[in-house]
Amino acid sequence: RNSMMFCDLTSVMVGSAGFWVVDEHRVTQFNFSWSPEAVEESLAEVGQFNIEPDGSELVPLWFPTAVAKYKPLNESFFDDSFRITPFFPDATNELLFITDTGHHRVLMLNITGSYQLDVIGQFGVTGIALADSTGLDWPHGIAVTTPAAEASFEPVIANVFVADRRNHRLVKLNVGYPLDGSGRNEHYRWYDLSLLYGGAYGGRENPVPWNETLEDPVGVSVYRHYVLVAEGLGNAITLLKVHHVMFDRLIFVTRLTPALGVQLTGHLAVSMFGYIWYTYKELPTSYGMGTIFLDEALRESPPSEMLDELAAQCYNDTWFHTELLTNESMYMNTLGYFLNAT
């Protein structure tokens, strides 16, 4: 056990006040001010360094691979436009998510307080590989976005995206509250913040649509309203987005591929300006890091909204063709309204 040594380091998550390191059977938090004279300080850890779990640990980990963090903008807002209301009683907490790969699960920890690492939930059955809505098989990369796509309609604090590697799919999890009862007695368990299954893209089910396949998804990152998935065997970065009405659906946007002779190893990150940084192997034995700059359409396009669906459903084709197209002023007013609204 040594907090200043690492074994088979797999990933690092950087923050404004320090960083998290994932190595063999352990996740460690370090304090770091990022000033020239700063020295890192180990604050807390989960699991045991270079030791297989034997049941004596408070939180046993078995080859964890990645971490992601949820933190609201402040105690009043998720981000600069979405307010935190009593509908989200746990939204002001800070949460850490760990892909405990060898145990086929994702852990959720409350890290709000100093040195606090309280496990408050998990998705998946510990030690059992599953391919349905109850579990995972060798989860790897992970990313978090807030506010959740459902936040205007359901008490969901954040969406967590997990690369379910051996199932060849991306799983969407919702940080929210389970429903109990039925009919008039249906109610949320507000005391039980949980990781709930919220949909998937790809998978081993047959038949799978040709454009909904992922081959060995390894890394996951989020940029604006897009989810980026790096495929190891597929040798591509697939861009997806959550459907703006059917929140359990992920929609294919585009696919980015590296130059000939370059093989993605699966790790990636995206900067706020739209640069994708990825690791690769250039055949036969050269390793490196490359970058892709996203197109302007992806960097600037607004997310789809419920109004898009409303317009499609509310227009009456007969009225549109027989009355609206023959009345220029009505046409301009109606068209202008929808253009301004969207």
Side-chain angles (χ1 to χ4, degrees):
R1 178 185 175 91
N2 192 327
S3 61
M4 303 308 294
M5 297 177 62
F6 303 110
C7 180
D8 291 338
L9 191 147
T10 58
S11 64
V12 176
M13 180 182 68
V14 177
S16 59
F19 54 93
W20 295 80
V21 175
V22 183
D23 64 344
E24 192 166 289
H25 314 316
R26 181 181 65 167
V27 174
T28 309
Q29 179 188 15
F30 289 91
N31 183 35
F32 196 68
S33 65
W34 303 107
S35 60
E37 67 280 358
V39 177
E40 69 276 6
E41 176 190 5
S42 175
L43 296 180
E45 69 177 44
V46 182
Q48 286 187 294
F49 172 65
N50 201 24
I51 298 176
E52 296 182 8
D54 59 9
S56 63
E57 308 87 350
L58 182 62
V59 185
L61 297 177
W62 180 239
F63 293 108
T65 49
V67 294
K69 182 180 176 181
Y70 159 79
K71 182 180 180 180
L73 179 65
N74 51 46
E75 292 190 356
S76 300
F77 286 87
F78 285 106
D79 60 9
D80 55 6
S81 61
F82 202 106
R83 182 178 291 276
I84 295 175
T85 69
F87 204 43
F88 310 97
D90 294 286
T92 56
N93 290 334
E94 293 184 30
L95 305 173
L96 184 74
F97 303 92
I98 303 173
T99 48
D100 190 8
T101 304
H103 283 144
H104 308 295
R105 64 180 179 174
V106 173
L107 290 175
M108 177 170 62
L109 290 76
N110 187 341
I111 59 170
T112 307
S114 300
Y115 309 103
Q116 181 181 9
L117 290 170
D118 298 332
V119 178
I120 58 175
Q122 73 175 55
F123 178 82
V125 181
T126 303
I128 300 177
L130 297 168
D132 54 19
S133 61
T134 64
L136 305 161
D137 188 352
W138 212 250
H140 204 278
I142 190 168
V144 179
T145 184
T146 190
E150 305 89 338
S152 295
F153 310 95
E154 302 174 29
V156 179
I157 293 173
N159 296 135
V160 180
F161 300 97
V162 183
D164 193 6
R165 192 167 182 179
R166 289 181 179 168
N167 286 325
H168 303 289
R169 64 177 180 170
L170 178 76
V171 173
K172 173 178 173 282
L173 303 176
N174 297 332
V175 183
Y177 304 90
L179 273 171
D180 271 347
S182 60
R184 292 183 177 182
N185 296 321
E186 191 175 65
H187 61 280
Y188 288 104
R189 297 207 306 262
W190 298 108
Y191 58 86
D192 186 15
L193 186 65
S194 303
L195 272 175
L196 308 171
Y197 180 81
Y201 181 93
R204 296 186 297 188
E205 310 88 37
N206 290 309
V208 175
W210 67 271
N211 65 332
E212 292 191 9
T213 57
L214 295 173
E215 295 184 76
D216 189 28
V218 180
V220 184
S221 190
V222 292
Y223 173 72
R224 304 184 67 236
H225 52 285
Y226 299 109
V227 185
L228 291 81
V229 186
E231 304 174 53
L233 291 178
N235 198 33
I237 297 174
T238 298
L239 269 73
L240 309 170
K241 65 177 182 179
V242 179
H243 193 281
H244 58 284
V245 177
M246 294 173 282
F247 303 119
D248 60 345
R249 284 188 55 193
L250 288 153
I251 303 172
F252 175 84
V253 177
T254 190
R255 191 176 174 89
L256 308 174
T257 55
L260 291 176
V262 172
Q263 175 68 45
L264 299 183
T265 58
H267 298 280
L268 83 163
V270 188
S271 76
M272 61 183 294
F273 301 109
Y275 288 93
I276 303 174
W277 297 92
Y278 61 90
T279 56
Y280 67 87
K281 177 181 179 181
E282 189 169 7
L283 303 177
T285 57
S286 176
Y287 292 86
M289 185 169 66
T291 185
I292 298 173
F293 187 45
L294 289 171
D295 290 340
E296 183 179 6
L298 297 172
R299 290 184 282 113
E300 302 293 339
S301 60
S304 300
E305 297 182 4
M306 185 72 76
L307 183 61
D308 302 333
E309 196 79 8
L310 184 65
Q313 293 177 357
C314 289
Y315 263 125
N316 180 288
D317 287 343
T318 303
W319 168 78
F320 182 86
H321 288 99
T322 60
E323 294 190 27
L324 187 63
L325 291 182
T326 61
N327 188 324
E328 183 178 356
S329 61
M330 181 187 295
Y331 176 82
M332 295 304 295
N333 287 338
T334 305
L335 181 64
Y337 167 77
F338 276 103
L339 287 176
N340 290 330
T342 56

